[in-house]
Amino acid sequence: MSQQQFENFTASTLYCEKCRATTPVREKLLLVLPDREIFDYLCTECGSSVGQREVTAGEKMMAEAIAGRNRRNIPLQSLR
């Protein structure tokens, strides 16, 4: 496995102190800065903030480039 597979994680469940359980979370864009974006993870049960994630401009450009490259490699038959 290459390290690029582990560059951009997004959480689907996190521990919520208020609910005292691991719950599904939604990611909400909190702040856009010139060099990074900050996302907040919110508990889907109670709405509490349970964590944050920062994405730097370089990481975002790399993820978009990889996604674009992967889309170009899809055979046309699978798009129909």
Side-chain angles (χ1 to χ4, degrees), residues 7-61:
E7 290 290 326
N8 296 311
F9 273 117
T10 55
S12 58
T13 59
L14 290 172
Y15 181 78
C16 177
E17 286 284 330
K18 192 172 182 181
C19 296
R20 296 185 181 196
T22 302
T23 61
V25 293
R26 354 180 229 120
E27 189 177 55
K28 178 181 176 184
L29 181 61
L30 190 62
L31 185 62
V32 177
L33 299 170
D35 62 336
R36 66 182 175 266
E37 295 176 346
I38 301 174
F39 294 88
D40 196 24
Y41 285 112
L42 301 173
C43 172
T44 57
E45 300 295 321
C46 68
S48 297
S49 176
V50 292
Q52 290 186 345
R53 178 174 80 99
E54 289 188 20
V55 177
T56 63
E59 290 172 347
K60 184 178 178 185
M61 288 187 336

Side-chain angles (χ1 to χ4, degrees), residues 73-80:
N73 293 334
I74 298 172
L76 290 177
Q77 290 89 6
S78 65
L79 294 175
R80 293 181 186 163

